[in-house]
Amino acid sequence: GAVVSQHPSWVICKSGTSVKIECRSLDFQATTMFWYRQFPKQSLMLMATSNEGSKATYEQGVEKDKFLINHASLTLSTLTVTSAHPEDSSFYICSARDPGNEQFFGPGTRLTVL
Amino acid sequence: GENVEQHPSTLSVQEGDSAVIKCTYSDSASNYFPWYKQELGKRPQLIIDIRSNVGEKKDQRIAVTLNKTAKHFSLHITETQPEDSAVYFCAAGYSSASKIIFGSGTRLSIRP
């Protein structure tokens, strides 16, 4: 099956700093990727839809200036959490849509903000 | 927008028995209903999906049913085994290519 990777797998940062998370489709081109956030023992909450070459579409309640998404190539989307605070600590997961219109999830990135 | 509700939140069954998880959705335009299994700290794994032109789909011990009129869909796992223990999520979307909205999850435990 299609492979999606994320980097880093985990990151610890100080409050007020920015953190960039990468989502890569390793063996296919993905015009669309999705970003989710999952708090402990909770569901995956869709944050935004990332489209290659255009602005991301954010879900209601998600601050686009805080969660910057860039999808500059067909194999890479990045999520930058700006001015991170402890409440941003979460598991961030991306998914990528392959040419067959199936979605494949990345392994997730655990962010801890001190 | 779409809203997906899932029940129960936790489910414990004896090994070998069946487990049933139920979901409802709000958007009648949704046509794609995947089910995911997630183990602790891991990515969600697609285990089965169903599209609105089908009422039931089966894959070995796993089956999914869909009632579009009632906007209900369910996951059935038969002959449960210890490795079935995990969190299961239902989801709904317009298609496999579109954004999908997840249910709240069911923590399934299989008792030996």
Side-chain angles (χ1 to χ4, degrees):
Chain A
V3 179
V4 177
S5 71
Q6 283 184 239
H7 178 80
S9 55
W10 58 270
V11 57
I12 301 173
C13 70
K14 292 182 178 180
S15 185
T17 61
S18 295
V19 175
K20 180 184 285 187
I21 302 169
E22 296 183 347
C23 177
R24 290 182 186 273
S25 54
L26 298 185
D27 51 0
F28 65 95
Q29 293 184 331
T31 56
T32 301
M33 294 183 178
F34 302 92
W35 285 97
Y36 297 84
R37 179 169 53 181
Q38 186 176 31
F39 292 110
K41 297 186 178 182
Q42 294 189 25
S43 185
L44 285 80
M45 300 301 297
L46 180 65
M47 299 175 69
T49 302
S50 171
N51 299 298
E52 187 269 335
S54 65
K55 291 183 179 180
T57 303
Y58 289 82
E59 294 299 300
Q60 191 172 8
V62 178
E63 300 174 59
K64 61 181 180 181
D65 294 331
K66 180 169 180 64
F67 299 100
L68 302 179
I69 292 173
N70 185 294
H71 194 155
S73 80
L74 287 171
T75 59
L76 173 65
S77 175
T78 60
L79 168 68
T80 301
V81 183
T82 62
S83 186
H85 288 94
E87 57 266 31
D88 298 322
S89 298
S90 189
F91 194 49
Y92 291 87
I93 307 176
C94 70
S95 71
R97 189 181 73 192
D98 77 352
N101 285 331
E102 297 295 330
Q103 291 188 37
F104 297 88
F105 282 88
T109 296
R110 186 161 301 284
L111 169 64
T112 301
V113 185
L114 302 176
Chain B
E2 177 65 275
N3 182 50
V4 180
E5 294 191 356
Q6 183 171 346
H7 300 279
S9 57
T10 60
L11 179 60
S12 178
V13 301
Q14 194 74 35
E15 182 178 351
D17 288 350
S18 296
V20 180
I21 302 171
K22 298 183 178 183
C23 289
T24 61
Y25 62 99
S26 62
D27 190 345
S28 57
S30 289
N31 289 306
Y32 177 64
F33 307 92
W35 286 86
Y36 292 89
K37 177 183 180 181
Q38 187 181 32
E39 297 178 353
L40 189 63
K42 301 284 183 65
R43 77 187 83 193
Q45 297 279 3
L46 178 69
I47 55 172
I48 195 168
D49 57 17
I50 191 168
R51 288 167 171 80
S52 61
N53 58 342
V54 174
E56 184 174 355
K57 184 177 178 181
K58 190 173 181 180
D59 182 5
Q60 299 182 3
R61 296 187 297 110
I62 295 173
V64 59
T65 59
L66 170 65
N67 182 330
K68 278 225 81 179
T69 303
K71 293 189 235 173
H72 289 173
F73 58 115
S74 301
L75 177 72
H76 303 252
I77 305 174
T78 59
E79 300 173 23
T80 53
Q81 300 169 3
E83 53 265 36
D84 294 331
S85 295
V87 179
Y88 290 81
F89 293 99
C90 62
Y94 296 147
S95 72
S96 62
S98 67
K99 67 179 186 181
I100 54 175
I101 303 302
F102 281 75
S104 53
T106 296
R107 184 172 300 276
L108 176 62
S109 300
I110 307 302
R111 304 190 302 270

